[in-house]
Amino acid sequence: MKKTIRLGIYGARRGGDLGRAALLANADVVAICDSAMDKLEERKTQFPDATLYTEFDKFIEHDMDGVILANFFHEHAPYAIRLLERGIHVLSECTSNSTMAEGVALVRAAEKSKAIYMLSENYPYMKFNLEMKRICDGGTLGKILYAEGEYNHPGNGKNISNKKYLNYFPEHWRNFLPRTYYVTHSLAPIMSATGAIPRRVTAFSCTNDEPIDNSIATASHISPDVAAIIMTKNDDGSVFKFTAHSSFGAHANSYRIAGKRGQIENLRGMGDKVMLRYNSWQIPEGREEINLYEPSWHDEDSELIEKTGHGGGDYLVVREFIRSITDGRKPDFDVYFATTMASVGILAHRSVLDGGKPYDIPDFRSEDDRRKWENDDLSPFWYSDGRAPTIPCCSINDYKPSDEQMRLFREIVMEEKEKIK
Ligand SMILES: NC(=O)c1ccc[n+]([C@@H]2O[C@H](COP(=O)([O-])OP(=O)(O)OC[C@H]3O[C@@H](n4cnc5c(N)ncnc54)[C@H](O)[C@@H]3O)[C@@H](O)[C@H]2O)c1
């Protein structure tokens, strides 16, 4: 009989959601770790058989096959490395690494380990993105020349409960997130559909220069940038233009892939619908020049897929991780795919800070490229050892919220227990 995969969860918030998808995909959740007791307690009824831990050092001792890593965005790599060294499979939330040096160390650890490393990037598994990949793979678009990706996720800054949930202390990573770093939801779908790998990057920020109002809406977020417009030249000669995580109006995840003979895009504001169009003189058999349709899943698990978040992407990403463990094969988004995207996010930010200067994206398969970056630990985030950020997180170097905004943040957003710290 096939062995049931036993998973641990590190970071009970997002990790708990992925744990739910893991149960649907027939894995067991045997251990959960979070330093926040309330977050652990919230998951007790969902995972009644799991052992609860507040410290990673004890959690890693638990007998388990793999771990879903969903701790803070900028702190995944050191934990992934420790798990890989112990032979425990890793499904890491994005981003894989927040410094270039961590990217090098992570690739080295994954190459040494017998365990599988996969990035938990769920957006390529959304219905319209799978359809775009299916059409690209079918070849009717011809050679792919260009693609766009936008993860545009504005938030209402006046929504206090959102702030309490997402930005809950001043040094939280979301308050220091440069517009280029959360790049995987924009970039992975077009990399996955086209197979192209970014090799050079340049970026400009898109900045809201309205005067700072002394309101809670902008408090604590150390950036007036609303987007970075990023471009890459890729290994196959194609070009991508994408935004990482932007926040102009209005919400949409949108992608467009253009080939020599035609193009496919999902339509902003129209659910899962896609528009597939061909040159009038190059229409393939069985298609029209203009095809507007709602794609299907083409998957035996369509009912289970629909039960999980992010358009079913949560189920499919966890299922891919579990299947790659049981089949002993490379997962869809391996350590090279993951660290390439992280390098794009990190170096696009350097480009923003440097007036749009292009940067080469390293290939971490190459020892020369690894040596070039192995000591670069610059970061726009607070380090886990308490050090302050070493580079600005936005295009205006000395930007910061006013004292009044920070007072409001402490007063309104922070929970009582945190104010005492
Ligand atoms: N792919 C997606 O669609 C998606 C959606 C939401 C979040 N995420 C990712 O998931 C990750 C977590 O985000 P989140 O929304 O849960 O918010 P978060 O980053 O605020 O939560 C992280 C959790 O990890 C715990 N944690 C952090 N450091 C710890 C430590 N040293 N020991 C024990 N516990 C620790 C925290 O207490 C907290 O509960 C981020 O990387 C985020 O980008 C991805």
Side-chain angles (χ1 to χ4, degrees):
M1 213 175 105
K2 231 179 190 178
K3 177 176 172 265
T4 305
I5 299 297
R6 297 156 308 161
L7 296 178
I9 292 174
Y10 187 53
R13 292 157 48 107
R14 169 66 180 154
D17 297 345
L18 289 172
R20 197 177 140 253
L23 296 185
L24 292 174
N26 273 332
D28 282 343
V29 172
V30 295
I32 311 180
C33 178
D34 200 302
S35 51
M37 230 17 239
D38 54 333
K39 297 295 163 216
L40 276 179
E41 293 290 335
E42 279 169 23
R43 295 297 181 181
K44 250 183 171 170
T45 44
Q46 221 171 357
F47 308 104
D49 300 329
T51 310
L52 305 182
Y53 296 91
T54 52
E55 286 166 45
F56 184 82
D57 287 352
K58 297 205 172 113
F59 166 71
I60 197 176
E61 300 281 334
H62 198 99
D63 191 14
M64 55 197 170
D65 303 302
V67 163
I68 295 172
L69 209 53
N71 56 317
F72 294 137
F73 172 85
H74 62 305
E75 293 183 352
H76 296 142
Y79 296 99
I81 291 169
R82 286 189 58 194
L83 290 161
L84 290 169
E85 283 170 352
R86 224 183 142 84
I88 298 174
H89 306 292
V90 175
L91 180 66
S92 170
E93 259 306 344
C94 41
T95 185
S96 56
N97 53 288
S98 64
T99 70
M100 295 302 286
E102 278 180 356
V104 175
L106 181 61
V107 168
R108 286 180 173 148
E111 285 176 357
K112 264 197 215 145
S113 177
K114 287 199 173 69
I116 284 166
Y117 176 92
M118 175 171 164
L119 188 76
S120 186
E121 175 41 52
N122 44 354
Y123 281 52
Y125 296 112
M126 289 174 169
K127 202 193 251 178
F128 47 83
N129 280 327
L130 286 172
E131 179 66 4
M132 288 193 217
K133 177 167 169 51
R134 202 175 71 83
I135 295 295
C136 286
D137 289 348
T140 56
L141 298 180
K143 179 175 164 47
I144 304 300
L145 304 168
Y146 172 69
E148 293 173 2
E150 262 183 36
Y151 165 60
N152 187 41
H153 205 321
N156 177 0
K158 291 184 181 146
N159 181 333
I160 301 301
S161 55
N162 249 356
K163 266 191 186 299
K164 281 189 174 180
Y165 186 69
L166 297 173
N167 306 62
Y168 43 103
F169 56 93
E171 298 81 12
H172 191 276
W173 62 267
R174 283 194 174 93
N175 294 325
F176 286 80
L177 183 65
R179 283 298 174 188
T180 64
Y181 271 60
Y182 211 122
V183 75
T184 60
H185 296 346
S186 299
L187 180 55
I190 52 180
M191 273 176 71
S192 168
T194 65
I197 299 170
R199 285 289 171 242
R200 200 158 162 79
V201 66
T202 180
F204 289 101
S205 65
C206 179
T207 304
N208 178 8
D209 60 5
E210 288 170 323
I212 303 171
D213 57 351
N214 262 336
S215 82
I216 188 67
T218 45
S220 83
H221 193 205
I222 320 291
S223 176
D225 295 341
V226 291
I229 310 304
I230 307 171
M231 285 211 293
T232 60
K233 184 78 178 166
N234 306 322
D235 63 340
D236 60 358
S238 65
V239 169
F240 290 162
K241 186 181 82 182
F242 48 101
T243 62
H245 168 208
S246 51
S247 73
F248 39 75
H251 186 281
N253 305 310
S254 61
Y255 308 88
R256 172 184 176 212
I257 298 172
K260 186 104 186 3
R261 291 187 227 149
Q263 60 175 263
I264 184 163
E265 61 198 306
N266 69 319
L267 299 179
R268 295 183 184 100
M270 291 188 70
D272 289 332
K273 280 212 171 95
V274 296
M275 173 79 91
L276 168 64
R277 294 181 300 128
Y278 293 98
N279 290 329
S280 58
W281 62 96
Q282 287 174 312
I283 304 168
E285 217 181 302
R287 294 279 186 196
E288 305 292 327
E289 182 178 348
I290 297 173
N291 309 269
L292 171 64
Y293 61 99
E294 169 113 20
S296 351
W297 279 110
H298 305 285
D299 192 297
E300 78 264 18
D301 284 348
S302 54
E303 272 179 37
L304 290 177
I305 295 172
E306 301 271 352
K307 286 187 181 163
T308 62
H310 297 94
D314 287 358
Y315 174 79
L316 288 172
V317 79
V318 174
R319 187 185 73 179
E320 169 62 10
F321 177 57
I322 292 167
R323 284 187 177 174
S324 49
I325 297 173
T326 49
D327 301 350
R329 62 164 170 81
K330 188 177 97 59
D332 278 351
F333 307 129
D334 67 5
V335 76
Y336 302 108
F337 190 95
T339 52
T340 297
M341 285 195 292
S343 295
V344 170
I346 295 167
L347 296 177
H349 184 55
R350 304 263 174 109
S351 177
V352 165
L353 298 179
D354 221 345
K357 182 180 145 185
Y359 280 77
D360 286 330
I361 303 302
D363 174 1
F364 283 153
R365 284 188 176 84
S366 134
E367 196 46 43
D368 282 350
D369 280 9
R370 294 180 197 188
R371 271 196 295 270
K372 189 169 164 200
W373 292 105
E374 65 190 355
N375 296 316
D376 188 313
D377 76 340
L378 295 178
S379 175
F381 301 106
W382 283 83
Y383 291 77
S384 49
D385 60 10
R387 273 181 299 147
T390 40
I391 50 174
C393 67
C394 68
S395 63
I396 299 178
N397 288 2
D398 56 356
Y399 180 89
K400 62 175 187 158
S402 67
D403 292 345
E404 173 60 8
Q405 284 174 303
M406 289 316 290
R407 190 193 65 73
L408 279 172
F409 180 78
R410 285 194 163 71
E411 182 69 30
I412 300 172
V413 178
M414 289 176 74
E415 302 290 348
E416 284 311 313
K417 59 181 169 31
E418 255 106 31
K419 279 189 225 168
I420 296 162
K421 267 188 202 167

